[in-house]
Amino acid sequence: MVGHVAVGGGLQGSSTASVVVQSMTNTDTADAAGTIAQVYELWQAGSEVVRITVNSAEAAAQVATIRKGLDALGCNVPLVGDFHFNGHKLLQAYPDCAEALAKYRINPGNVGKGSKRDEQFAAMIEAAIHYKKAVRIGVNWGSLDQAKMAQMMDDNGKAANPLSADALMREALIQSALESAQQAVDLGLSPNQIIISCKVSNVQDLVLVYQELGKRCDYPLHLGLTEAGMGSKGIVASTAALAILLQQGIGDTIRVSLTPEPTESRTKEVVVAQEILQTMGIRSFTPLVTACPGCGRTTSTYFQELALQIQTWLRNQMPVWRAQYPGVETLNVAVMGCVVNGPGESKLANIGISLPGTGEVPVAPVFVDGEKTVTLKGDHIAEEFQQIVDEYVRTHYADGGKLRAAKSSIIPIVAL
């Protein structure tokens, strides 16, 4: 953990230029080898912080082994321990676990009930102080402190202008987060070690909660639509919510909580989070391909196949290119399907190709930084175009970025 003064999480203080992408494993943390493999895969995909479940003695006992295994692979990604119900016991019983983690995620609604709640919360904060770790106060509307909610409902019922049920739930989330953060500070945790999240699964509720949080605190804020769903529904819902908040300067870290399909890689949530930030112009992670949607002029699927092939190849190259060619993530490639917009879009990209549409001359002009350089034809257009892209990367992004690359490897407290 780097000693970094966290910027504010709200409208007045946040800097979206530093928004960090997080993800979470779905392995059993007691399976050290499986967890190492998935964390490494997420890191290779571009996740800058990875959260793991620490829910049992067996899981806690493997955390230090997981950290060592990742370090041996050259993977320095910070690990966040997700604690519920028994976190206070696990942090005390397994000091190697407490030391190996970069941050502890604490859900105020699942820390304990009644008189035990404050005692068990304090034990976790004291561990964070002792080991100099960051803490995320992570409130979730599915696990709100029931005693607090009951008291607020009683008070609301007596109010002259009571809040609606939805507004009361949002207020309960906000109060739970801010009161727990203040309690942590009162126990001795530095405000610079605290980040807050208040997750819901409804887009409009998430926006309203974080807009209010942004007004009422200076803590860094972690954004995410919880239980966003599967496939296009999860992607669209997460994008809608996060884009609104990021555009307003709210948010320091993000996670896209997608439910993976049975055979789908967990890394999809990382890709979606990166593409939200990149398409909004906030950060760049990997070269993007501009491609036309196709129409009656493009009855061949060749340009679609080439666009997919190039985009997949570019993303697969990034684990190597990220270190060798700093700045390559800003590269823009265009793969167009006919003469209508093909040449124009190709000229606007760093490298573009305008493939022949239906009935057009079977040649493909290539444009590099706005200038036509070559016309490809025949059966090997894809391979030849890929060689042109590869050559461009090697000649335009080599050297000159070592300092920037070194700086980008530092993860400040705000990113945890």
Side-chain angles (χ1 to χ4, degrees):
M1 181 179 67
V2 178
H4 180 86
V5 177
V7 298
L11 291 166
Q12 295 81 13
S14 182
S15 171
T16 52
S18 60
V19 178
V20 167
V21 172
Q22 295 194 24
S23 61
M24 185 175 183
T25 59
N26 60 358
T27 57
D28 181 352
T29 307
D31 174 10
T35 302
I36 289 169
Q38 191 173 81
V39 171
Y40 187 82
E41 182 184 28
L42 291 165
W43 175 70
Q44 284 283 83
S47 183
E48 296 162 299
V49 180
V50 178
R51 183 158 52 114
I52 62 176
T53 298
V54 187
N55 61 334
S56 65
E58 292 77 13
Q62 294 301 320
V63 171
T65 298
I66 292 167
R67 179 70 273 166
K68 291 176 183 176
L70 291 168
D71 290 343
L73 293 171
C75 174
N76 62 354
V77 66
L79 296 178
V80 179
D82 194 51
F83 294 101
H84 297 273
F85 309 113
N86 59 353
H88 58 293
K89 294 181 179 179
L90 297 177
L91 287 170
Q92 290 177 344
Y94 295 91
D96 287 350
C97 167
E99 180 63 52
L101 294 168
K103 182 182 71 175
Y104 312 148
R105 186 273 178 127
I106 304 174
N107 184 338
N110 290 338
V111 171
K113 296 181 179 180
S115 59
K116 292 185 178 181
R117 190 269 180 197
D118 288 348
E119 176 185 339
Q120 292 170 185
F121 181 82
M124 298 184 74
I125 297 302
E126 287 165 4
I129 294 170
H130 177 76
Y131 292 104
K132 297 180 175 60
K133 305 298 180 179
V135 170
R136 169 151 71 98
I137 305 295
V139 186
N140 190 297
W141 75 340
S143 53
L144 270 170
D145 185 327
Q146 293 303 303
K148 180 173 183 59
M149 193 66 193
Q151 182 61 54
M152 290 185 67
M153 290 175 67
D154 288 343
D155 294 343
N156 190 58
K158 300 172 185 176
N161 297 300
L163 299 173
S164 67
D166 287 345
L168 182 64
M169 180 277 296
R170 294 193 295 268
E171 181 61 22
L173 283 166
I174 294 167
Q175 286 193 22
S176 178
L178 295 181
E179 289 172 3
S180 296
Q182 185 57 53
Q183 185 179 3
V185 172
D186 292 342
L187 288 166
L189 189 68
S190 169
N192 292 335
Q193 291 173 265
I194 298 172
I195 187 168
I196 286 178
S197 68
C198 288
K199 292 192 175 182
V200 301
S201 56
N202 178 278
V203 171
Q204 296 298 342
D205 283 323
L206 191 82
V207 170
L208 291 170
V209 165
Y210 275 90
Q211 286 175 335
E212 190 63 23
L213 271 173
K215 296 174 184 176
R216 288 162 63 172
C217 78
D218 289 323
Y219 293 113
L221 301 180
H222 172 74
L223 307 184
L225 193 73
T226 191
E227 288 91 37
M230 183 179 287
S232 61
K233 186 271 180 183
I235 293 172
V236 171
S238 292
T239 303
L242 270 57
I244 292 170
L245 294 167
L246 290 167
Q247 188 68 22
Q248 296 176 11
I250 299 173
D252 298 278
T253 71
I254 65 170
R255 183 195 171 201
V256 176
S257 300
L258 294 181
T259 303
E261 296 178 11
T263 59
E264 192 173 47
S265 171
R266 188 71 165 177
T267 60
K268 187 170 184 178
E269 69 174 50
V270 178
V271 173
V272 173
Q274 290 179 332
E275 290 182 349
I276 290 172
L277 294 173
Q278 187 152 353
T279 55
M280 291 184 68
I282 294 172
R283 286 186 66 189
S284 294
F285 296 92
T286 189
L288 294 182
V289 173
T290 300
C292 65
C295 66
R297 291 175 173 271
T298 57
T299 53
S300 168
T301 61
Y302 187 77
F303 86 93
Q304 299 164 328
E305 294 163 0
L306 179 58
L308 177 60
Q309 177 181 329
I310 292 296
Q311 180 70 78
T312 302
W313 175 70
L314 289 170
R315 184 166 286 281
N316 289 340
Q317 292 296 106
M318 281 309 293
V320 175
W321 281 0
R322 192 177 293 119
Q324 291 184 350
Y325 305 115
V328 69
E329 65 275 3
T330 64
L331 175 70
N332 185 256
V333 178
V335 178
M336 306 302 294
C338 79
V339 75
V340 172
N341 292 318
E345 288 281 3
S346 296
K347 290 177 182 179
L348 292 173
N350 296 116
I351 310 170
I353 185 169
S354 181
L355 295 165
T358 304
E360 294 176 9
V361 178
V363 296
V366 175
F367 298 83
V368 176
D369 291 331
E371 299 295 329
K372 181 179 174 181
T373 59
V374 68
T375 299
L376 304 180
K377 61 183 72 174
D379 298 328
H380 302 287
I381 290 177
E383 293 83 355
E384 292 172 6
F385 183 65
Q386 187 169 302
Q387 289 175 4
I388 292 171
V389 175
D390 190 50
E391 177 65 17
Y392 186 94
V393 170
R394 289 191 293 106
T395 57
H396 285 71
Y397 296 100
D399 301 324
K402 294 180 180 178
L403 179 60
R404 174 171 39 172
K407 288 183 177 179
S408 67
S409 68
I410 298 174
I411 305 292
I413 287 176
V414 67
L416 297 176

